[in-house]
Amino acid sequence: MKEKIKKITFKLESSFIATVIRHGLAVMIPFVLTGGIANALLNFPIEAYQKFINDTLLSHFLETVYIGTFGLFSFAMLIALSTSYCMEKNMTIDKTILYVLVSIGAFGAQFYNAHGTYNIDMLDVKGCFFAIITSLVSCALLERLQKIPQLNFREYTSGMERITALAISLLFPAMIVIFLFVFATQFLLITFNVSSLYELMSNFMCSIF
């Protein structure tokens, strides 16, 4: 039984998705630690220290560092995981940039709801789960769509610069990926009458537990 569990664990750890997530999170270490240290210094549990830094330039500085990092935590995770996906596929830098931009478009499409508001709260730690799903799904879907000859303009891009030809070849695949995320998001928001995907997930988790 233990051997079977070890084999399953090894397969999970060595899987492509696990590797992408692990490497993406590793890239975020400096980003996370910077915000974490600033938050620790800002909320150091000593009363005398809190009185000393209360409403000072130091406290404003530390708060700015924390908001500047953890306030964009999910956005940074999206970029890191999308980049990690491309690195594991040995993609070129220009192609990696395009994949990351499409992931950003797919992620940003989840912020707007049917009530006409834009939920920027998804940029911080609240949107972590959706950043992971979006980066992996958008990159995988874009990669598959790019291989369909009918969806690229490669025959019309001869003589163009590599980056321009690559961007044009990804036009339709990128549009399809972003449109699918918009449709899926709006369908879920309207169907379950919620203002954000975070609220939908929160309600679902509360109903389970």
Side-chain angles (χ1 to χ4, degrees):
M1 185 65 180
K2 289 183 178 179
E3 291 299 323
K4 288 184 178 180
I5 295 175
K6 286 182 179 180
K7 288 182 180 179
I8 294 173
T9 303
F10 178 77
K11 287 183 179 180
L12 291 174
E13 289 180 351
S14 59
S15 67
F16 175 77
I17 293 178
T19 302
V20 169
I21 295 175
R22 184 170 63 252
H23 290 173
L25 294 178
V27 170
M28 291 185 64
I29 289 176
F31 183 86
V32 173
L33 287 181
T34 300
I37 292 172
N39 187 46
L41 293 174
L42 184 63
N43 297 284
F44 202 68
I46 297 179
E47 186 176 353
Y49 174 80
Q50 288 298 320
K51 288 181 179 180
F52 174 73
I53 69 167
N54 184 39
D55 200 25
T56 62
L57 181 61
L58 177 60
S59 67
H60 289 301
F61 173 79
L62 294 173
E63 187 174 2
T64 302
V65 173
Y66 174 72
I67 293 175
T69 51
F70 278 78
L72 295 172
F73 189 88
S74 295
F75 185 67
M77 179 177 286
L78 178 85
I79 295 174
L81 292 181
S82 300
T83 304
S84 177
Y85 182 98
C86 296
M87 289 174 62
E88 294 302 316
K89 291 286 186 175
N90 295 318
M91 295 184 186
T92 57
I93 295 177
D94 49 3
K95 195 171 186 179
T96 298
I97 294 173
L98 289 168
Y99 270 61
V100 171
L101 290 176
V102 173
S103 294
I104 292 174
F107 190 55
Q110 301 171 44
F111 296 177
Y112 191 78
N113 59 43
H115 304 296
T117 57
Y118 203 69
N119 301 302
I120 60 173
D121 289 347
M122 289 277 287
L123 288 171
D124 59 24
V125 294
K126 290 182 179 179
C128 288
F129 174 77
F130 302 102
I132 295 173
I133 298 300
T134 301
S135 59
L136 296 177
V137 173
S138 63
C139 287
L141 189 57
L142 185 62
E143 185 181 19
R144 287 181 175 274
L145 291 173
Q146 189 187 10
K147 295 177 180 178
I148 301 176
Q150 292 80 3
L151 295 179
N152 60 59
F153 298 97
R154 289 178 182 174
E155 63 271 19
Y156 303 108
T157 57
S158 58
M160 294 184 180
E161 291 183 326
R162 171 183 165 80
I163 183 65
T164 305
L166 181 60
I168 293 176
S169 69
L170 280 173
L171 175 60
F172 278 162
M175 290 174 60
I176 292 173
V177 171
I178 295 175
F179 286 173
L180 285 175
F181 272 89
V182 171
F183 175 79
T185 300
Q186 296 305 313
F187 175 79
L188 291 173
L189 296 183
I190 294 173
T191 301
F192 294 97
N193 192 27
V194 292
S195 60
S196 67
L197 291 178
Y198 177 79
E199 182 183 349
L200 175 61
M201 186 178 70
S202 177
N203 293 343
F204 174 72
M205 296 302 291
C206 289
S207 65
I208 294 178
F209 300 103

